[in-house]
């Protein structure tokens, strides 16, 4: 992944539980919400370190839990990187917006997390509901009893979902739940 994104001039950020490693530039282009969600520790701080080379990244590999490649311009470079990364078979590549690639270990996804919770608490499939609004939610909405796409989702997600609700800014989750539970 390092070689692919480096060759294409893209910056990739690798996350551990308390550190962000970056290949070209610090990831300030992430939204404020994303920075809070994936980059801050319990005190709201995060340390950053530049990846020196591939050997340095190999030394960190056991600590890295995921990564993200961002291209502010959504150029063809990102599509090319996705194609090359998927061809390796080493990672699951998804996106939470048109200008990024999320790099996740092959056997990990939102679907595996939902299944783990279902197993742990003995929740039957037919009693599970999940909401999603982008392609990184596709596996999850297919893995639950009722998968709901938000109104602002890409068409492919809407096509795969059991239902479509209003967008997140139109109270889509609340509207769906009120209707579903007849509140």
């Amino acid at each position: 992944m390092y070689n692919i994104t480096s060759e294409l001039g893209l910056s990739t950020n690798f996350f551990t539980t308390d550190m962000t490693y970056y290949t070209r530039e610090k990831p300030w282009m992430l939204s404020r919400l994303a920075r809070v969600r994936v980059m801050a520790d319990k005190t709201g701080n995060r340390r950053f370190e530049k990846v020196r080379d591939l050997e340095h990244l190999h030394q960190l590999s056991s600590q890295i839990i995921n990564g993200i490649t961002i291209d502010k311009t959504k150029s063809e470079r990102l599509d090319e990187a996705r194609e090359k990364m998927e061809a390796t078979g080493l990672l699951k590549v998804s996106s939470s917006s048109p200008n990024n690639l999320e790099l996740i270990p092959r056997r990990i996804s939102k679907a595996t997390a939902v299944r783990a919770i279902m197993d742990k608490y003995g929740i039957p499939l037919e009693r599970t509901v999940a909401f999603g609004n982008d392609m990184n939610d596709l596996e999850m909405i297919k893995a639950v009893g009722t998968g709901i796409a938000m109104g602002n989702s890409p068409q492919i997600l809407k096509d795969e979902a059991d239902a479509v609700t209003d967008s997140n800014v139109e109270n889509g989750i609340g509207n769906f739940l009120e209707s579903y539970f007849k509140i």
Side-chain angles (χ1 to χ4, degrees), residues 4 7 12 16 74 77 94 97 110 112-113 130 134 138 146:
I4 291 168
E7 288 169 10
T12 300
T16 68
K74 178 50 179 109
R77 296 180 305 164
S94 67
S97 77
K110 291 180 180 184
T112 58
D134 221 318
L138 181 60
T146 305

Side-chain angles (χ1 to χ4, degrees), residues 157-172:
L157 194 71
K158 292 176 181 179
D159 293 344
E160 293 290 335
D162 297 306
V164 178
T165 189
D166 300 318
S167 75
N168 56 331
V169 297
E170 300 168 317
N171 195 31

Side-chain angles (χ1 to χ4, degrees), residues 20 23-24 32 36 47 68 71 73 82 86-87 95 102 105-106 108-109 119 124-125 127 129-131 147 150 178:
T20 299
T23 59
R24 294 177 63 88
R32 185 181 64 77
V36 169
R47 296 182 331 202
I68 189 167
D71 186 3
T73 63
R82 174 188 288 274
E86 287 175 343
S95 298
E102 294 181 357
R106 184 113 217 44
I108 304 296
S109 70
D119 290 346
L125 179 66
R127 295 198 56 174
V129 177
F131 296 85
M150 304 302 291
E178 281 181 2

Side-chain angles (χ1 to χ4, degrees), residues 4-183:
I4 291 168
T5 57
S6 294
E7 288 169 10
L8 293 170
L10 296 167
S11 187
T12 300
N13 308 294
F14 299 97
F15 303 103
T16 68
T17 56
D18 64 346
M19 189 79 161
T20 299
Y21 296 93
Y22 60 96
T23 59
R24 294 177 63 88
E25 54 189 65
K26 283 186 182 177
W28 300 118
M29 67 288 268
L30 290 176
S31 70
R32 185 181 64 77
L33 177 61
R35 285 196 306 268
V36 169
R37 188 182 63 195
V38 299
M39 296 172 55
D41 63 16
K42 293 176 187 168
T43 63
N45 297 314
R46 189 86 179 163
R47 296 182 331 202
F48 296 91
E49 184 177 321
K50 185 166 176 46
V51 176
R52 295 185 299 271
D53 54 30
L54 187 56
E55 179 58 34
H56 180 216
L57 189 58
H58 279 297
Q59 292 169 2
L60 305 168
S61 65
S62 66
Q63 302 167 53
I64 295 172
I65 53 178
N66 68 354
I68 189 167
T69 297
I70 300 172
D71 186 3
K72 294 181 251 188
T73 63
K74 178 50 179 109
S75 71
E76 296 79 40
R77 296 180 305 164
L78 205 58
D79 295 331
E80 186 177 345
R82 174 188 288 274
E83 188 176 307
K84 288 181 176 185
M85 287 180 192
E86 287 175 343
T88 68
L90 297 172
L91 292 173
K92 182 176 301 234
V93 182
S94 67
S95 298
S96 57
S97 77
N99 70 340
N100 76 27
L101 299 176
E102 294 181 357
L103 314 173
I104 303 164
R106 184 113 217 44
R107 293 180 183 89
I108 304 296
S109 70
K110 291 180 180 184
T112 58
V114 167
R115 285 187 201 109
I117 292 168
M118 290 166 52
D119 290 346
K120 179 175 181 167
Y121 294 103
I123 302 168
L125 179 66
E126 64 272 8
R127 295 198 56 174
T128 59
V129 177
F131 296 85
N133 71 336
D134 221 318
M135 294 309 296
N136 64 342
D137 299 315
L138 181 60
E139 286 184 52
M140 176 182 64
I141 68 162
K142 290 168 71 173
V144 296
T146 305
I148 313 302
M150 304 302 291
N152 55 310
S153 300
Q155 189 60 46
I156 190 168
L157 194 71
K158 292 176 181 179
D159 293 344
E160 293 290 335
D162 297 306
V164 178
T165 189
D166 300 318
S167 75
N168 56 331
V169 297
E170 300 168 317
N171 195 31
I173 293 175
N175 294 341
F176 179 85
L177 292 174
E178 281 181 2
S179 171
Y180 189 78
F181 291 111
K182 311 282 191 254
I183 299 174

